[in-house]
């Protein structure tokens, strides 16, 4: 049986301000990708694309944070939140190639963005698994990330379904 250390023993990089900074940085890095999607739409305003492109990705992080906040002991919760924040940031960085492609290419096809999103999801799933298992967070948490983010992608597709038609 693993003994969970007291909350006072949380590494400084996993305190709430540091974790919040990772999530904020992840949001800031997601913004160029979300904005670049406006170049791919045929019937959506820039404001709608930004709103959906920034709001929908938050779903995964809110669900994962809320559920772990409710069900994990304090120390594991703080470690898992820190891991989520780091994974959010690095997964957002992984979207930058598609953002650059969408902004540079004259009439960019949609498939590179879709492929980049799938690659980012795979990267985040592996990264979160690696980070959280190293911290002794139960396996169910990093594994629950994948269905959560798949549902998140379904929400995005539903919310943007009218963007892609002439």
């Amino acid at each position: 049986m693993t003994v969970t250390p007291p909350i006072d023993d949380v590494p400084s990089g996993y305190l709430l301000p540091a974790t919040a900074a990772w999530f904020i940085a992840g949001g800031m890095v997601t913004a160029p990708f979300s904005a670049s999607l406006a170049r791919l739409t045929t019937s959506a305003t820039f404001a709608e694309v930004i709103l959906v492109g920034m709001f929908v990705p938050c779903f995964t992080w809110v669900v994962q944070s809320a559920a772990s906040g409710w069900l994990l002991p304090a120390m594991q919760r703080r470690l898992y939140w820190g891991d989520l924040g780091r994974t959010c940031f690095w997964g957002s960085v992984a979207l930058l190639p598609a953002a650059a492609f969408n902004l540079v290419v004259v009439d960019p096809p949609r498939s590179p963005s879709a492929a980049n999103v799938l690659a980012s999801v795979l990267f985040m799933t592996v990264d979160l698994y690696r980070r959280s298992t190293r911290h002794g967070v139960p396996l169910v948490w990093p594994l629950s990330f994948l269905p959560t983010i798949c549902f998140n992608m379904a929400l995005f597709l539903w919310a943007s379904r009218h963007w892609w038609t002439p």
Side-chain angles (χ1 to χ4, degrees):
M1 179 173 174
T2 305
V3 176
T4 303
I7 193 69
D8 297 338
D9 292 340
V10 173
S12 63
Y14 283 80
L15 295 174
L16 291 178
T19 295
W22 281 105
F23 278 112
I24 291 167
M28 291 170 54
V29 174
T30 299
F33 175 75
S34 295
S36 79
L37 294 177
R39 300 251 355 258
L40 308 178
T41 65
T42 56
S43 57
T45 66
F46 182 74
E48 180 184 1
V49 172
I50 285 291
L51 181 66
V52 171
M54 293 303 293
F55 180 73
V56 172
C58 294
F59 173 85
T60 299
W61 311 112
V62 169
V63 167
Q64 286 283 301
S65 297
S68 59
W70 183 42
L71 297 170
L72 280 175
M75 176 64 159
Q76 286 183 335
R77 173 180 41 233
R78 290 282 184 90
L79 293 171
Y80 189 62
W81 286 351
D83 292 340
L84 281 170
R86 286 162 174 79
T87 297
C88 168
F89 173 77
W90 291 111
S92 297
V93 167
L95 293 172
L96 291 177
F101 179 83
N102 293 341
L103 295 171
V104 171
V105 172
V106 173
D107 189 19
R110 296 176 188 122
S111 56
S113 290
N116 197 197
V117 167
L118 293 175
S120 174
V121 166
L122 177 61
F123 168 78
M124 288 187 292
T125 301
V126 171
D127 184 61
L128 184 60
Y129 171 81
R130 183 184 55 79
R131 289 177 187 279
S132 61
T133 55
R134 181 180 61 215
H135 286 129
V137 173
L139 187 59
V140 68
W141 291 101
L143 292 180
S144 70
F145 174 80
L146 188 55
T148 305
I149 202 161
C150 286
F151 184 75
N152 178 42
M153 288 188 297
L155 282 176
F156 177 81
L157 290 173
W158 179 81
S160 66
R161 66 193 179 282
H162 66 282
W163 294 1
W164 320 111
T165 57

